[in-house]
């Protein structure tokens, strides 16, 4: 396994359209995370899954955003009725969670979304 | 909520120089992570720290977990042009990571 992959790498859409991004984590990892990053800022947490269960959602995740991880493997992030403020880099990360220290998160290359 | 403050915001140095940057928090973290991000790419994990006072190296990079557990430091020795990028510190909060704003490093050959 070569790491976390994301598709597409770039997406340009018009305001009001729906977009969907896919993330494939490192295969043995049970946790999958979505972050959003705008220019000049660090990544901001959106949501995360342990296996197929969505364990936490940020207040940043408005009702236009939905994420799924139906079989505990890949995940999708959908944004409905996109707005210009949604333009950002969307990052996916994965980790193999266990109690105790560790649980480093490994990031994919990101999907750059531009809403016109 | 928890916030991480990184300093300096940016650095412009000559190739071969050593670099030092830090990250401070208003609250305690049990783990500190340092990532590097190149333009248009995702962050890459450089070093993970798990114990107060711990000093860990990865090649020319050395990071320390502050004794108070509210800060961490990253040093890069003998910088080279490929060290250019944005360096982020991060700490876990109930599973998710909290990131600093980043330190942008530019290296002049």
């Amino acid at each position: 396994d070569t790491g976390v992959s994301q598709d597409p790498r770039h997406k340009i859409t018009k305001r009001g359209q729906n977009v969907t991004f896919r993330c494939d984590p490192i295969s043995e990892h049970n946790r999958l995370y979505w972050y959003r990053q705008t220019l000049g800022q660090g990544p901001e947490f959106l949501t995360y899954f342990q296996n197929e269960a969505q364990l936490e959602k940020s207040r940043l995740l408005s009702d236009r955003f939905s994420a799924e991880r139906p079989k505990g493997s890949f995940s999708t992030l959908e944004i409905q009725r996109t707005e210009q403020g949604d333009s950002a880099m969307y990052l996916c990360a994965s980790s193999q969670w266990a109690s105790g220290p560790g649980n480093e998160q490994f990031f994919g290359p990101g999907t750059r979304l531009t809403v016109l | 909520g928890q916030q991480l403050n990184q300093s300096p915001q940016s650095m412009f140095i000559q190739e071969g120089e050593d670099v030092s940057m830090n990250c401070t928090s208003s609250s305690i973290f049990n783990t500190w992570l340092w990532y590097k991000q190149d333009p248009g790419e995702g962050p890459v994990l450089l070093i993970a720290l798990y114990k107060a006072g711990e000093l860990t190296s990865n090649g020319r990079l050395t990071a320390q977990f502050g004794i108070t557990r509210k800060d961490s430091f990253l040093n890069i020795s003998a910088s080279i042009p490929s060290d250019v990028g944005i360096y982020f510190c991060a700490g876990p909060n109930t599973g998710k990571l909290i990131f600093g704003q980043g330190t942008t490093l530019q290296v002049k050959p």
Side-chain angles (χ1 to χ4, degrees):
Chain A
D1 191 299
T2 56
V4 179
S5 61
Q6 293 187 244
D7 184 69
R9 293 292 310 275
H10 304 274
K11 178 71 177 178
I12 299 174
T13 191
K14 292 183 179 179
R15 188 178 52 167
Q17 298 294 305
N18 300 341
V19 295
T20 300
F21 309 141
R22 176 180 170 125
C23 171
D24 287 88
I26 294 171
S27 58
E28 64 269 25
H29 283 182
N30 55 7
R31 284 196 173 179
L32 186 150
Y33 311 79
W34 286 99
Y35 292 83
R36 181 170 68 187
Q37 186 178 27
T38 53
L39 203 61
Q41 301 295 320
E44 293 179 295
F45 170 77
L46 292 178
T47 188
Y48 84 94
F49 295 83
Q50 179 159 316
N51 301 313
E52 62 275 9
Q54 190 171 17
L55 295 189
E56 187 174 348
K57 291 193 289 186
S58 163
R59 285 173 292 177
L60 291 176
L61 212 66
S62 76
D63 56 6
R64 297 185 297 106
F65 288 69
S66 62
E68 293 183 342
R69 195 183 183 199
K71 297 182 180 178
S73 56
F74 74 91
S75 175
T76 58
L77 178 68
E78 182 184 16
I79 309 174
Q80 296 183 325
R81 305 180 304 279
T82 52
E83 302 172 355
Q84 288 183 323
D86 297 331
S87 296
M89 174 80 94
Y90 290 83
L91 294 163
C92 176
S94 70
S95 71
Q96 179 57 28
W97 185 84
S99 60
N103 306 302
E104 299 96 338
Q105 294 183 24
F106 297 90
F107 283 81
T111 295
R112 168 73 65 188
L113 173 66
T114 302
V115 182
L116 302 175
Chain B
Q2 287 178 307
Q3 287 187 314
L4 298 181
N5 296 305
Q6 289 188 245
S7 65
Q9 281 191 321
S10 62
M11 305 179 75
F12 192 93
I13 63 169
Q14 197 79 28
E15 182 178 0
E17 289 183 350
D18 296 343
V19 172
S20 186
M21 60 189 79
N22 69 6
C23 182
T24 59
S25 169
S26 56
S27 53
I28 288 171
F29 280 95
N30 292 317
T31 299
W32 286 94
L33 305 172
W34 284 92
Y35 288 87
K36 177 178 183 270
Q37 187 174 28
D38 292 330
E41 299 294 331
V44 174
L45 182 64
L46 299 173
I47 291 180
L49 302 159
Y50 301 109
K51 192 175 176 183
E54 178 183 358
L55 192 70
T56 297
S57 293
N58 177 7
R60 292 178 298 104
L61 277 61
T62 301
Q64 184 162 23
F65 193 142
I67 292 291
T68 66
R69 297 198 290 162
K70 290 185 176 182
D71 56 9
S72 179
F73 306 87
L74 177 69
N75 296 311
I76 305 172
S77 62
S79 57
I80 59 178
S82 63
D83 290 334
V84 165
I86 305 176
Y87 291 80
F88 288 101
C89 61
N93 179 340
T94 64
K96 62 185 177 286
L97 290 179
I98 308 297
F99 282 83
Q101 316 95 310
T103 292
T104 300
L105 178 63
Q106 298 182 62
V107 179
K108 184 178 179 182

